[in-house]
Amino acid sequence: MKTADLTASTSSRLHRAELPTAAKVQELAITDRTIAYCNAALDGSRFFSLLQAGQVSAPLMQYVFLQYHHWRDRLHQWFGLCIVKAGSCTDPDQKAALLSLSDHIFTDLEDGHSEMYVEFLHDLGLSDDDIAAAQRSAATTAYERSFFDQFSYGTDNFYEALAALSGRELCVSVRNGKILRHYFDARAMKQPTWLSLHAELEVNHFQDSIRPVLIHAEDSAMPARVVAAIDQGIDRHVQYFEDLLQEYESTCKST
């Protein structure tokens, strides 16, 4: 099945009603602004600079995405924290956010995205035994904890947490596009379904998550705290790859 067909057939149950013109303009503006920030953050990182230069080896890719597999297996916990932080399921903005968060988890599990990810690891040359033997690293543990450290339960920052999570979602889309171009296409390799699908699907996820945040805002301007939270979510995601690169290099030096 082609990626476009997969995207169209995902199990989303969200009713994506058309926004009023002013809100739609704002959503498109923040999407464009966030994509630009993602590109700048990724291009400024050492890992993605090496990727673009064709200097990311197969063993490095295997190490990074084996670790990412550990984090991805607990992605639902970040969504769960946001769900717990929502104060009301009847407030229109928070209800929309809850539907978006729940829908993302439902789609991921219902449509077998975890199985797609294992196929992606196979495309990188890893066996099921390699996957089973991999242990969670310090960088992965720190990244998993970072969202809870910043947006712990009981703190009044639900919309900021939602914005940070949405920034990470859009960063995944931009990131995957770069990996497809600079690693798989550059080597004339088959494009993994998981990478291709999430290069497109995460744009929808970003807009689903950020829409309640924008509607909640009291004026038409993008609140500074929302923009800052989006940027922080992107920066921490990119930093995870920098930390994994450093871990891999340290491991190579010690052997």
Side-chain angles (χ1 to χ4, degrees), residues 99-118:
L99 287 170
S100 169
L101 293 162
S102 302
D103 180 75
H104 190 140
I105 296 171
F106 174 84
T107 299
D108 191 88
L109 297 178
E110 175 70 13
D111 292 344
H113 291 200
S114 295
E115 290 78 7
M116 288 182 200
Y117 192 88
V118 171

Side-chain angles (χ1 to χ4, degrees), residues 179-200:
I179 294 170
L180 288 168
R181 290 192 302 275
H182 300 310
Y183 190 85
F184 289 91
D185 292 350
R187 291 164 175 76
M189 296 170 66
K190 175 178 73 76
Q191 290 195 349
T193 300
W194 182 84
L195 276 177
S196 300
L197 178 64
H198 289 80
E200 299 184 19

Side-chain angles (χ1 to χ4, degrees), residues 208-239:
D208 290 340
S209 297
I210 202 64
R211 187 170 295 173
V213 180
L214 297 177
I215 294 173
H216 178 74
E218 295 180 355
D219 52 50
S220 60
M222 287 180 280
R225 66 185 184 279
V226 170
V227 174
I230 290 173
D231 292 353
Q232 288 167 7
I234 294 166
D235 290 341
R236 187 61 185 88
H237 184 69
V238 174
Q239 184 60 48

Side-chain angles (χ1 to χ4, degrees), residues 15-21 24 27 211:
H15 175 60
R16 295 184 174 99
E18 189 65 26
L19 289 173
T21 301
K24 186 63 177 178
E27 181 183 85
R211 187 170 295 173

